[in-house]
Coordinates of all heavy atoms in Angstrom, one line a residue:
K20 N 0.8 -1.2 0.0 CA 0.0 0.0 0.0 C 0.9 1.2 0.0 O 1.8 1.4 0.8 CB -0.9 0.0 1.2 CG -1.8 1.1 1.3 CD -2.7 1.0 2.5 CE -3.7 2.2 2.6 NZ -4.5 2.2 3.7
V21 N 0.6 2.2 -0.9 CA 1.3 3.4 -1.0 C 0.6 4.5 -0.3 O -0.6 4.7 -0.5 CB 1.6 3.8 -2.5 CG1 2.3 5.1 -2.6 CG2 2.3 2.7 -3.2
Q22 N 1.3 5.3 0.6 CA 0.7 6.4 1.3 C 1.5 7.6 1.0 O 2.7 7.6 1.0 CB 0.6 6.2 2.8 CG -0.4 5.2 3.2 CD -0.5 5.2 4.7 OE1 0.5 5.2 5.4 NE2 -1.7 5.2 5.2
T23 N 0.9 8.7 0.7 CA 1.5 10.0 0.5 C 1.2 10.9 1.7 O 0.0 11.1 2.0 CB 1.1 10.7 -0.8 OG1 1.4 9.8 -1.9 CG2 1.8 12.0 -1.0
L24 N 2.2 11.4 2.4 CA 2.0 12.3 3.5 C 2.7 13.6 3.2 O 3.8 13.6 2.7 CB 2.6 11.7 4.8 CG 2.2 10.3 5.2 CD1 3.0 9.8 6.3 CD2 0.7 10.3 5.6
V25 N 2.0 14.7 3.4 CA 2.6 16.0 3.2 C 2.5 16.7 4.6 O 1.5 16.8 5.2 CB 1.8 16.8 2.2 CG1 2.3 18.2 2.1 CG2 1.7 16.1 0.8
F26 N 3.7 17.1 5.0 CA 3.7 17.9 6.3 C 4.8 18.9 6.2 O 5.9 18.7 5.6 CB 3.9 16.9 7.5 CG 5.2 16.1 7.4 CD1 6.4 16.5 7.9 CD2 5.1 14.8 6.7 CE1 7.5 15.7 7.8 CE2 6.3 14.0 6.6 CZ 7.4 14.5 7.1
P27 N 4.6 20.0 6.8 CA 5.6 21.1 6.9 C 6.8 20.7 7.8 O 6.5 20.1 8.9 CB 4.9 22.3 7.4 CG 3.7 21.8 8.1 CD 3.4 20.5 7.5
L28 N 8.0 20.9 7.4 CA 9.1 20.6 8.2 C 9.7 21.9 8.8 O 10.3 22.7 8.0 CB 10.2 19.9 7.4 CG 11.4 19.4 8.1 CD1 11.0 18.4 9.2 CD2 12.4 18.7 7.1
K29 N 9.5 22.2 10.0 CA 9.9 23.4 10.6 C 11.3 23.2 11.3 O 12.0 24.2 11.5 CB 8.9 23.9 11.7 CG 7.6 24.3 11.0 CD 6.6 24.7 12.0 CE 5.3 25.1 11.2 NZ 4.2 25.4 12.1
A30 N 11.6 22.0 11.6 CA 13.0 21.8 12.2 C 14.0 21.6 11.1 O 13.7 21.5 10.0 CB 12.9 20.5 13.1
K31 N 15.3 21.6 11.5 CA 16.3 21.4 10.6 C 16.6 20.0 10.2 O 17.4 19.7 9.4 CB 17.6 22.1 11.1 CG 17.5 23.6 11.1 CD 18.8 24.3 11.5 CE 18.6 25.8 11.6 NZ 19.8 26.5 11.9
S32 N 16.0 19.1 11.0 CA 16.2 17.6 10.7 C 14.9 16.9 10.8 O 14.0 17.4 11.4 CB 17.3 17.1 11.7 OG 16.8 17.2 13.0
L33 N 15.0 15.7 10.3 CA 13.8 14.8 10.4 C 14.3 13.4 10.7 O 15.2 12.8 10.1 CB 13.1 14.8 9.0 CG 12.0 13.8 8.8 CD1 10.8 14.2 9.6 CD2 11.6 13.8 7.3
N34 N 13.7 12.8 11.8 CA 14.0 11.5 12.2 C 12.9 10.6 11.8 O 11.7 10.9 12.0 CB 14.3 11.4 13.7 CG 15.5 12.1 14.1 OD1 16.5 12.1 13.5 ND2 15.4 12.8 15.3
I35 N 13.2 9.5 11.1 CA 12.2 8.5 10.7 C 12.5 7.2 11.2 O 13.6 6.7 11.1 CB 12.1 8.5 9.1 CG1 11.8 9.8 8.6 CG2 11.2 7.4 8.6 CD1 11.9 10.0 7.1
A36 N 11.5 6.5 11.8 CA 11.7 5.2 12.3 C 10.6 4.3 11.7 O 9.5 4.7 11.6 CB 11.5 5.2 13.9
Y37 N 11.0 3.1 11.3 CA 10.0 2.2 10.7 C 10.1 0.8 11.5 O 11.2 0.3 11.6 CB 10.3 2.0 9.2 CG 9.4 1.0 8.6 CD1 8.1 1.3 8.3 CD2 9.8 -0.3 8.3 CE1 7.2 0.4 7.7 CE2 8.9 -1.2 7.7 CZ 7.6 -0.8 7.4 OH 6.8 -1.7 6.9
N38 N 9.0 0.3 11.9 CA 9.0 -0.9 12.6 C 8.0 -1.8 11.9 O 6.8 -1.6 11.8 CB 8.5 -0.7 14.0 CG 8.5 -2.0 14.8 OD1 8.8 -3.1 14.3 ND2 8.3 -1.9 16.1
A39 N 8.6 -2.9 11.2 CA 7.8 -3.8 10.5 C 7.0 -4.8 11.4 O 6.1 -5.5 10.9 CB 8.7 -4.6 9.5
G40 N 7.3 -4.8 12.6 CA 6.7 -5.7 13.6 C 6.9 -7.2 13.2 O 8.0 -7.5 12.8
L41 N 5.9 -8.0 13.3 CA 6.0 -9.4 13.0 C 6.0 -9.6 11.5 O 6.3 -10.7 11.0 CB 4.9 -10.2 13.7 CG 5.0 -10.1 15.2 CD1 3.8 -10.9 15.8 CD2 6.3 -10.7 15.7
N42 N 5.5 -8.7 10.7 CA 5.4 -8.8 9.3 C 6.7 -8.5 8.6 O 7.3 -7.4 8.9 CB 4.3 -7.9 8.7 CG 3.0 -8.2 9.2 OD1 2.6 -9.3 9.5 ND2 2.2 -7.2 9.4
S43 N 7.3 -9.4 7.9 CA 8.5 -9.1 7.2 C 8.3 -8.4 5.9 O 7.3 -8.7 5.2 CB 9.4 -10.4 7.0 OG 8.7 -11.2 6.1
V44 N 9.1 -7.5 5.5 CA 8.9 -6.8 4.3 C 10.2 -6.9 3.5 O 11.3 -7.0 4.1 CB 8.7 -5.3 4.5 CG1 7.3 -5.0 5.1 CG2 9.7 -4.6 5.3
S45 N 10.1 -7.0 2.2 CA 11.3 -7.2 1.4 C 11.9 -5.9 1.0 O 13.1 -5.8 0.7 CB 10.9 -8.0 0.1 OG 10.0 -7.3 -0.6
A46 N 11.1 -4.8 1.1 CA 11.7 -3.5 0.7 C 10.8 -2.4 1.2 O 9.6 -2.6 1.5 CB 11.8 -3.3 -0.8
I47 N 11.4 -1.2 1.4 CA 10.7 0.0 1.8 C 11.3 1.1 1.0 O 12.5 1.2 0.8 CB 10.7 0.3 3.3 CG1 9.8 1.5 3.6 CG2 12.1 0.5 3.8 CD1 9.6 1.7 5.1
E48 N 10.4 2.0 0.5 CA 10.9 3.1 -0.3 C 10.4 4.4 0.3 O 9.2 4.5 0.7 CB 10.4 3.0 -1.7 CG 10.9 4.1 -2.6 CD 10.4 3.9 -4.1 OE1 9.3 3.5 -4.3 OE2 11.2 4.2 -5.0
L49 N 11.3 5.3 0.5 CA 10.9 6.6 1.1 C 11.3 7.7 0.1 O 12.4 7.8 -0.3 CB 11.7 6.8 2.4 CG 11.5 8.2 3.1 CD1 10.1 8.4 3.5 CD2 12.5 8.4 4.2
I50 N 10.3 8.5 -0.3 CA 10.5 9.6 -1.2 C 10.3 10.9 -0.5 O 9.2 11.1 0.0 CB 9.6 9.5 -2.5 CG1 9.9 8.2 -3.2 CG2 9.8 10.7 -3.4 CD1 8.9 7.8 -4.2
I51 N 11.3 11.7 -0.4 CA 11.1 13.0 0.2 C 11.2 14.1 -0.9 O 12.2 14.2 -1.6 CB 12.2 13.3 1.3 CG1 12.0 12.2 2.4 CG2 12.1 14.7 1.9 CD1 13.1 12.2 3.4
T52 N 10.1 14.9 -1.0 CA 10.1 15.9 -2.0 C 10.0 17.3 -1.4 O 9.1 17.6 -0.7 CB 8.8 15.7 -2.9 OG1 8.8 14.4 -3.4 CG2 8.8 16.8 -4.0
P53 N 11.0 18.1 -1.6 CA 11.0 19.5 -1.0 C 9.9 20.3 -1.8 O 9.8 20.1 -3.0 CB 12.4 20.0 -1.2 CG 13.0 19.2 -2.3 CD 12.3 17.9 -2.3
Y54 N 9.1 21.1 -1.2 CA 8.1 21.9 -1.9 C 8.0 23.2 -1.2 O 8.4 23.4 -0.1 CB 6.8 21.1 -1.9 CG 6.1 21.1 -0.5 CD1 5.3 22.1 -0.1 CD2 6.4 20.0 0.4 CE1 4.7 22.0 1.2 CE2 5.9 20.0 1.6 CZ 5.0 21.0 2.0 OH 4.5 20.9 3.3
K55 N 7.3 24.1 -1.9 CA 7.0 25.4 -1.4 C 5.5 25.5 -1.5 O 4.9 25.1 -2.4 CB 7.6 26.6 -2.2 CG 9.1 26.6 -2.1 CD 9.6 27.8 -2.9 CE 11.1 27.9 -2.7 NZ 11.7 29.1 -3.2
K56 N 4.9 26.1 -0.4 CA 3.4 26.3 -0.5 C 3.2 27.6 -1.3 O 3.9 28.6 -1.1 CB 2.9 26.5 0.9 CG 1.4 26.5 0.9 CD 0.8 26.4 2.3 CE -0.7 26.4 2.3 NZ -1.3 26.3 3.6
A57 N 2.3 27.4 -2.3 CA 2.1 28.5 -3.2 C 1.2 29.6 -2.6 O 0.4 29.3 -1.7 CB 1.4 28.0 -4.5
T58 N 1.4 30.8 -3.0 CA 0.6 31.9 -2.6 C -0.3 32.3 -3.7 O 0.0 32.2 -4.9 CB 1.4 33.2 -2.2 OG1 2.2 33.5 -3.3 CG2 2.3 32.9 -1.0
A59 N -1.6 32.6 -3.4 CA -2.6 32.9 -4.4 C -2.7 31.9 -5.5 O -3.0 32.3 -6.7 CB -2.3 34.3 -5.0
Q60 N -2.5 30.6 -5.2 CA -2.7 29.5 -6.1 C -1.7 29.5 -7.3 O -2.0 28.8 -8.3 CB -4.2 29.5 -6.7 CG -5.3 29.5 -5.6 CD -5.2 28.2 -4.8 OE1 -5.2 27.1 -5.4 NE2 -5.3 28.3 -3.5
F61 N -0.6 30.2 -7.2 CA 0.4 30.2 -8.2 C 1.8 29.9 -7.7 O 2.1 30.2 -6.5 CB 0.4 31.6 -8.9 CG -0.8 32.0 -9.6 CD1 -1.7 32.8 -9.0 CD2 -1.1 31.4 -10.9 CE1 -2.9 33.2 -9.7 CE2 -2.3 31.8 -11.5 CZ -3.2 32.6 -10.9
C62 N 2.6 29.2 -8.5 CA 4.0 28.9 -8.1 C 4.8 30.2 -8.3 O 4.5 31.0 -9.2 CB 4.5 27.7 -8.9 SG 3.6 26.2 -8.4
P63 N 5.9 30.3 -7.6 CA 6.7 31.5 -7.6 C 7.5 31.7 -8.9 O 7.9 32.8 -9.3 CB 7.7 31.4 -6.5 CG 7.7 29.9 -6.1 CD 6.4 29.4 -6.5
S64 N 7.8 30.7 -9.7 CA 8.5 30.8 -10.9 C 8.2 29.7 -11.9 O 7.6 28.8 -11.6 CB 10.0 30.8 -10.6 OG 10.5 29.5 -10.4
S65 N 8.7 29.9 -13.1 CA 8.5 28.9 -14.2 C 9.3 27.7 -14.0 O 9.1 26.7 -14.7 CB 8.8 29.5 -15.5 OG 10.1 29.9 -15.6
K66 N 10.2 27.7 -13.0 CA 11.0 26.5 -12.7 C 10.3 25.5 -11.8 O 10.8 24.5 -11.4 CB 12.3 26.9 -12.0 CG 13.2 27.7 -12.9 CD 14.5 28.1 -12.1 CE 15.4 29.0 -13.0 NZ 16.6 29.4 -12.3
H67 N 9.0 25.9 -11.4 CA 8.3 25.0 -10.5 C 7.1 24.4 -11.2 O 6.6 24.9 -12.2 CB 7.8 25.9 -9.3 CG 8.9 26.3 -8.4 ND1 9.6 27.5 -8.5 CD2 9.4 25.7 -7.3 CE1 10.5 27.6 -7.6 NE2 10.4 26.5 -6.8
F68 N 6.6 23.3 -10.6 CA 5.4 22.7 -11.1 C 4.3 22.8 -10.0 O 4.6 22.6 -8.8 CB 5.7 21.2 -11.4 CG 4.5 20.4 -11.8 CD1 3.9 20.6 -13.1 CD2 3.8 19.6 -10.9 CE1 2.8 19.9 -13.4 CE2 2.7 18.9 -11.3 CZ 2.2 19.0 -12.6
H69 N 3.1 23.0 -10.4 CA 2.0 23.2 -9.5 C 1.3 21.9 -9.1 O 0.8 21.2 -10.0 CB 1.0 24.1 -10.3 CG -0.3 24.4 -9.7 ND1 -1.3 23.5 -9.7 CD2 -0.7 25.4 -9.0 CE1 -2.4 24.1 -9.1 NE2 -2.0 25.2 -8.7
C70 N 1.4 21.5 -7.8 CA 0.7 20.3 -7.3 C -0.6 20.8 -6.5 O -0.5 21.6 -5.7 CB 1.6 19.6 -6.3 SG 3.0 18.8 -6.9
G71 N -1.7 20.1 -6.8 CA -2.9 20.4 -6.0 C -2.9 19.4 -4.9 O -2.2 18.5 -4.7
K72 N -3.9 19.7 -4.0 CA -4.1 18.9 -2.8 C -5.6 18.8 -2.5 O -6.3 19.8 -2.8 CB -3.3 19.4 -1.6 CG -3.2 18.5 -0.4 CD -2.4 19.1 0.7 CE -2.5 18.2 1.9 NZ -2.2 18.9 3.1
K73 N -6.1 17.8 -2.0 CA -7.5 17.6 -1.7 C -8.1 18.8 -0.9 O -9.2 19.2 -1.1 CB -7.8 16.3 -1.0 CG -7.7 15.1 -1.9 CD -8.0 13.8 -1.1 CE -7.7 12.6 -1.9 NZ -7.9 11.4 -1.2
S74 N -7.3 19.3 0.0 CA -7.7 20.4 0.8 C -7.9 21.7 0.1 O -8.4 22.7 0.6 CB -6.8 20.6 2.0 OG -5.5 21.1 1.5
G75 N -7.4 21.8 -1.2 CA -7.4 23.0 -2.0 C -6.1 23.7 -1.9 O -5.9 24.7 -2.7
D76 N -5.2 23.3 -1.0 CA -3.9 24.0 -1.0 C -3.1 23.7 -2.3 O -3.3 22.7 -2.9 CB -3.1 23.5 0.2 CG -3.6 23.9 1.5 OD1 -4.3 24.9 1.6 OD2 -3.4 23.2 2.6
V77 N -2.2 24.6 -2.6 CA -1.4 24.4 -3.8 C 0.1 24.3 -3.3 O 0.5 25.1 -2.5 CB -1.6 25.5 -4.8 CG1 -0.6 25.4 -5.9 CG2 -3.0 25.5 -5.3
Y78 N 0.8 23.3 -3.8 CA 2.2 23.2 -3.5 C 3.0 23.2 -4.8 O 2.5 22.8 -5.9 CB 2.5 21.8 -2.8 CG 1.8 21.8 -1.5 CD1 0.6 21.2 -1.3 CD2 2.5 22.3 -0.4 CE1 -0.1 21.2 -0.1 CE2 1.9 22.3 0.9 CZ 0.6 21.7 1.0 OH 0.0 21.7 2.2
C79 N 4.2 23.7 -4.7 CA 5.1 23.9 -5.9 C 6.3 23.0 -5.7 O 7.0 23.1 -4.7 CB 5.5 25.3 -6.1 SG 4.1 26.4 -6.2
I80 N 6.6 22.2 -6.7 CA 7.8 21.4 -6.6 C 8.7 21.7 -7.8 O 8.2 22.3 -8.8 CB 7.5 19.8 -6.6 CG1 6.8 19.4 -7.9 CG2 6.8 19.4 -5.4 CD1 6.6 17.9 -8.1
T81 N 9.9 21.4 -7.8 CA 10.8 21.7 -9.0 C 10.3 20.9 -10.2 O 9.8 19.8 -10.1 CB 12.3 21.4 -8.7 OG1 13.0 21.7 -9.8 CG2 12.5 19.9 -8.3
K82 N 10.4 21.5 -11.4 CA 9.9 20.8 -12.6 C 10.7 19.6 -12.9 O 10.3 18.7 -13.7 CB 9.9 21.8 -13.8 CG 8.8 22.7 -13.8 CD 8.7 23.4 -15.2 CE 7.4 24.2 -15.3 NZ 7.3 25.0 -16.5
A83 N 11.9 19.4 -12.3 CA 12.7 18.2 -12.6 C 12.0 17.0 -12.1 O 12.2 15.9 -12.5 CB 14.0 18.4 -11.8
F84 N 11.0 17.1 -11.2 CA 10.2 16.0 -10.7 C 9.1 15.6 -11.5 O 8.4 14.6 -11.3 CB 9.7 16.2 -9.2 CG 10.8 16.4 -8.2 CD1 10.7 17.3 -7.2 CD2 12.0 15.6 -8.3 CE1 11.7 17.4 -6.3 CE2 13.0 15.7 -7.3 CZ 12.9 16.6 -6.3
K85 N 8.8 16.4 -12.6 CA 7.7 16.1 -13.5 C 8.0 15.0 -14.4 O 9.1 14.9 -15.0 CB 7.3 17.4 -14.3 CG 6.3 17.2 -15.3 CD 4.9 17.6 -14.8 CE 3.9 17.6 -15.9 NZ 3.0 16.4 -15.9
C86 N 7.1 14.0 -14.5 CA 7.3 12.9 -15.5 C 8.5 12.0 -15.2 O 9.2 11.5 -16.1 CB 7.3 13.3 -16.9 SG 5.7 14.1 -17.4
D87 N 8.9 11.8 -13.9 CA 10.0 11.0 -13.5 C 9.6 9.6 -13.0 O 10.4 8.9 -12.5 CB 10.9 11.7 -12.5 CG 10.3 12.0 -11.2 OD1 9.0 11.7 -11.1 OD2 10.9 12.4 -10.3
T88 N 8.4 9.3 -13.2 CA 7.8 8.0 -12.7 C 7.7 7.9 -11.2 O 7.3 6.8 -10.7 CB 8.5 6.8 -13.3 OG1 9.8 6.6 -12.7 CG2 8.6 6.8 -14.8
I89 N 7.9 9.0 -10.5 CA 7.8 9.0 -9.0 C 6.7 10.0 -8.7 O 6.7 11.1 -9.1 CB 9.1 9.4 -8.3 CG1 10.2 8.3 -8.7 CG2 8.9 9.5 -6.8 CD1 11.6 8.8 -8.3
N90 N 5.7 9.6 -7.9 CA 4.6 10.5 -7.5 C 5.1 11.4 -6.4 O 5.2 11.0 -5.3 CB 3.4 9.7 -7.1 CG 2.8 8.8 -8.2 OD1 2.7 9.3 -9.3 ND2 2.4 7.6 -7.9
N91 N 5.4 12.6 -6.8 CA 5.9 13.6 -5.8 C 4.7 14.5 -5.3 O 4.9 15.1 -4.3 CB 7.0 14.5 -6.4 CG 8.2 13.7 -6.8 OD1 8.3 13.3 -8.0 ND2 9.0 13.3 -5.9
C92 N 3.7 14.6 -6.0 CA 2.5 15.4 -5.6 C 1.5 14.5 -4.9 O 1.3 13.3 -5.3 CB 1.8 16.0 -6.9 SG 2.8 17.2 -7.7
P93 N 0.8 15.0 -3.9 CA -0.2 14.3 -3.2 C -1.3 13.6 -4.1 O -1.7 12.5 -3.9 CB -0.8 15.3 -2.2 CG 0.2 16.3 -2.1 CD 0.9 16.4 -3.4
L94 N -1.7 14.3 -5.2 CA -2.7 13.8 -6.1 C -2.1 13.2 -7.3 O -2.8 13.0 -8.3 CB -3.7 14.9 -6.4 CG -4.5 15.5 -5.2 CD1 -5.4 16.6 -5.7 CD2 -5.3 14.4 -4.5
K95 N -0.8 13.0 -7.3 CA -0.1 12.4 -8.5 C -0.1 13.3 -9.7 O 0.1 12.8 -10.8 CB -0.6 11.0 -8.7 CG -0.5 10.1 -7.5 CD -1.1 8.8 -7.8 CE -1.0 7.9 -6.5 NZ -1.7 6.7 -6.6
D96 N -0.4 14.6 -9.6 CA -0.5 15.5 -10.8 C 0.8 15.5 -11.6 O 0.8 15.7 -12.8 CB -0.8 16.9 -10.4 CG -1.4 17.2 -9.1 OD1 -1.3 16.4 -8.2 OD2 -2.1 18.3 -9.0
D97 N 2.0 15.3 -10.9 CA 3.3 15.4 -11.6 C 3.5 14.3 -12.6 O 4.4 14.4 -13.5 CB 4.4 15.5 -10.6 CG 4.5 14.3 -9.7 OD1 3.4 13.9 -9.2 OD2 5.6 13.8 -9.5
E98 N 2.7 13.2 -12.5 CA 2.9 12.1 -13.4 C 1.7 12.0 -14.4 O 1.7 11.2 -15.3 CB 3.0 10.8 -12.6 CG 4.2 10.7 -11.7 CD 5.5 11.1 -12.4 OE1 5.8 10.6 -13.5 OE2 6.3 11.9 -11.8
A99 N 0.7 12.8 -14.2 CA -0.5 12.8 -15.1 C -0.2 13.4 -16.4 O 0.5 14.4 -16.5 CB -1.6 13.5 -14.4
G100 N -0.6 12.7 -17.5 CA -0.5 13.2 -18.8 C 0.9 13.1 -19.4 O 1.2 13.7 -20.4
C101 N 1.8 12.4 -18.8 CA 3.2 12.3 -19.3 C 3.2 11.3 -20.4 O 2.6 10.3 -20.4 CB 4.1 11.7 -18.2 SG 4.2 12.9 -16.8
T102 N 4.0 11.6 -21.4 CA 4.1 10.7 -22.6 C 5.3 9.7 -22.3 O 6.1 9.9 -21.5 CB 4.5 11.5 -23.9 OG1 5.8 12.1 -23.7 CG2 3.4 12.6 -24.1
E103 N 5.2 8.6 -23.1 CA 6.3 7.6 -23.0 C 7.6 8.2 -23.3 O 8.7 7.9 -22.7 CB 6.0 6.5 -23.9 CG 4.9 5.6 -23.4 CD 4.6 4.4 -24.3 OE1 5.6 3.9 -24.9 OE2 3.5 3.9 -24.3
K104 N 7.7 9.2 -24.2 CA 8.9 9.8 -24.6 C 9.5 10.7 -23.5 O 10.7 10.6 -23.2 CB 8.7 10.7 -25.9 CG 9.9 11.3 -26.4 CD 9.6 12.1 -27.7 CE 10.8 12.8 -28.3 NZ 10.5 13.6 -29.5
Q105 N 8.6 11.4 -22.8 CA 9.1 12.2 -21.6 C 9.7 11.3 -20.5 O 10.7 11.6 -20.0 CB 7.9 13.0 -21.0 CG 7.5 14.2 -21.9 CD 6.2 14.8 -21.3 OE1 5.2 14.1 -21.1 NE2 6.3 16.1 -21.1
I106 N 9.0 10.2 -20.3 CA 9.4 9.3 -19.2 C 10.7 8.6 -19.6 O 11.6 8.5 -18.8 CB 8.3 8.2 -18.9 CG1 7.1 8.9 -18.3 CG2 8.8 7.1 -18.0 CD1 5.9 8.1 -18.2
A107 N 10.8 8.2 -20.9 CA 12.1 7.6 -21.3 C 13.3 8.5 -21.2 O 14.4 8.1 -20.8 CB 11.9 7.1 -22.8
K108 N 13.0 9.8 -21.6 CA 14.1 10.8 -21.5 C 14.6 11.0 -20.1 O 15.8 11.0 -19.8 CB 13.6 12.1 -22.1 CG 14.7 13.2 -22.2 CD 14.1 14.4 -22.9 CE 15.1 15.5 -23.0 NZ 14.6 16.7 -23.7
K109 N 13.6 11.0 -19.1 CA 14.0 11.2 -17.7 C 14.7 9.9 -17.2 O 15.7 10.0 -16.5 CB 12.7 11.4 -16.8 CG 12.1 12.7 -17.0 CD 12.7 13.7 -16.1 CE 12.0 15.0 -16.3 NZ 12.1 15.9 -15.1
E110 N 14.3 8.7 -17.6 CA 14.9 7.5 -17.1 C 16.3 7.4 -17.7 O 17.2 7.0 -17.0 CB 14.1 6.3 -17.6 CG 12.8 6.1 -16.8 CD 11.9 5.0 -17.2 OE1 12.1 4.5 -18.4 OE2 11.0 4.6 -16.5
E111 N 16.5 7.9 -18.9 CA 17.9 7.9 -19.5 C 18.8 8.8 -18.7 O 19.9 8.5 -18.4 CB 17.8 8.3 -21.0 CG 19.1 8.3 -21.7 CD 19.0 8.8 -23.1 OE1 17.9 8.9 -23.7 OE2 20.1 9.1 -23.7
K112 N 18.3 10.0 -18.4 CA 19.1 10.9 -17.6 C 19.5 10.4 -16.2 O 20.6 10.5 -15.8 CB 18.4 12.3 -17.4 CG 18.4 13.1 -18.6 CD 17.7 14.5 -18.3 CE 17.7 15.4 -19.5 NZ 17.0 16.6 -19.2
Q113 N 18.5 9.7 -15.6 CA 18.8 9.1 -14.3 C 19.8 8.0 -14.4 O 20.6 7.8 -13.5 CB 17.4 8.6 -13.7 CG 16.5 9.7 -13.2 CD 15.1 9.2 -12.9 OE1 14.8 8.0 -13.1 NE2 14.3 10.1 -12.3
A114 N 19.7 7.2 -15.5 CA 20.7 6.1 -15.6 C 22.1 6.6 -15.8 O 23.1 6.1 -15.3 CB 20.3 5.2 -16.8
I115 N 22.2 7.7 -16.6 CA 23.5 8.3 -16.8 C 24.1 8.9 -15.5 O 25.3 8.6 -15.2 CB 23.4 9.5 -17.9 CG1 23.2 8.8 -19.2 CG2 24.7 10.3 -17.9 CD1 22.8 9.9 -20.3
K116 N 23.3 9.5 -14.7 CA 23.7 10.0 -13.4 C 24.2 8.9 -12.5 O 25.2 9.0 -11.8 CB 22.6 10.8 -12.7 CG 22.4 12.2 -13.3 CD 21.2 12.9 -12.5 CE 20.9 14.2 -13.1 NZ 19.8 14.9 -12.5
Q117 N 23.4 7.8 -12.5 CA 23.7 6.7 -11.6 C 25.0 6.0 -12.1 O 25.9 5.7 -11.2 CB 22.6 5.6 -11.7 CG 22.8 4.4 -10.8 CD 22.7 4.8 -9.3 OE1 22.0 5.7 -9.0 NE2 23.4 4.1 -8.5
A118 N 25.3 5.9 -13.4 CA 26.5 5.4 -13.9 C 27.7 6.2 -13.5 O 28.8 5.7 -13.2 CB 26.4 5.2 -15.4
I119 N 27.6 7.5 -13.5 CA 28.6 8.4 -13.2 C 29.0 8.3 -11.7 O 30.1 8.3 -11.3 CB 28.2 9.9 -13.5 CG1 28.2 10.1 -15.0 CG2 29.2 10.9 -12.8 CD1 27.6 11.4 -15.4
M120 N 28.0 8.1 -10.8 CA 28.2 8.0 -9.4 C 28.8 6.6 -9.0 O 29.4 6.5 -7.9 CB 26.9 8.2 -8.7 CG 26.3 9.6 -8.8 SD 24.7 9.8 -8.0 CE 25.3 9.9 -6.3
E121 N 28.7 5.6 -9.8 CA 29.2 4.3 -9.5 C 30.7 4.2 -9.6 O 31.4 4.9 -10.2 CB 28.6 3.2 -10.3 CG 27.1 3.1 -9.9 CD 26.4 2.0 -10.7 OE1 26.9 1.5 -11.7 OE2 25.2 1.7 -10.4

């Protein structure tokens, strides 16, 4: 089950603890997306992507997170309407970065 949580981080650090209990899990994935809360329903610059939220709030994430196959927006708006070509281009860039880091 995938859950998306959005919460403001006022402290300079974040501690995360996960307890699987008696159920064993083979993997856990944590995605942290920095965002800015939009003012007047608009993002501050063209370098940002507009994420909606059920509550009506608007969040702005960097456009680099658009069409990267990872749901960074609470309503998954950043992956909506993406073409296979856009996704393939992002995956190619990510593979090149990974190869450089290895």
Side-chain angles (χ1 to χ4, degrees):
K20 183 178 178 183
V21 176
Q22 287 188 315
T23 301
L24 304 172
V25 177
F26 56 93
L28 183 61
K29 295 180 181 176
K31 292 184 180 183
S32 64
L33 174 66
N34 294 321
I35 298 172
Y37 177 76
N38 183 353
L41 298 175
N42 300 325
S43 62
V44 292
S45 58
I47 184 169
E48 182 178 38
L49 174 66
I50 299 168
I51 299 175
T52 305
Y54 69 90
K55 291 184 179 191
K56 191 168 181 181
T58 56
Q60 304 295 314
F61 296 100
C62 292
S64 78
S65 61
K66 294 178 183 179
H67 290 91
F68 176 77
H69 174 277
C70 289
K72 191 177 172 201
K73 287 180 185 177
S74 66
D76 291 336
V77 175
Y78 295 93
C79 303
I80 62 171
T81 179
K82 278 193 175 175
F84 295 141
K85 175 93 173 107
C86 298
D87 64 353
T88 70
I89 299 170
N90 295 318
N91 299 99
C92 293
L94 299 178
K95 304 176 184 175
D96 339 23
D97 58 316
E98 301 307 314
C101 297
T102 65
E103 287 183 28
K104 186 177 180 180
Q105 287 173 306
I106 292 168
K108 188 175 179 181
K109 289 276 182 154
E110 287 175 343
E111 181 181 344
K112 283 183 181 180
Q113 289 172 351
I115 291 169
K116 284 180 185 178
Q117 186 65 31
I119 290 170
M120 294 177 75
E121 291 178 350

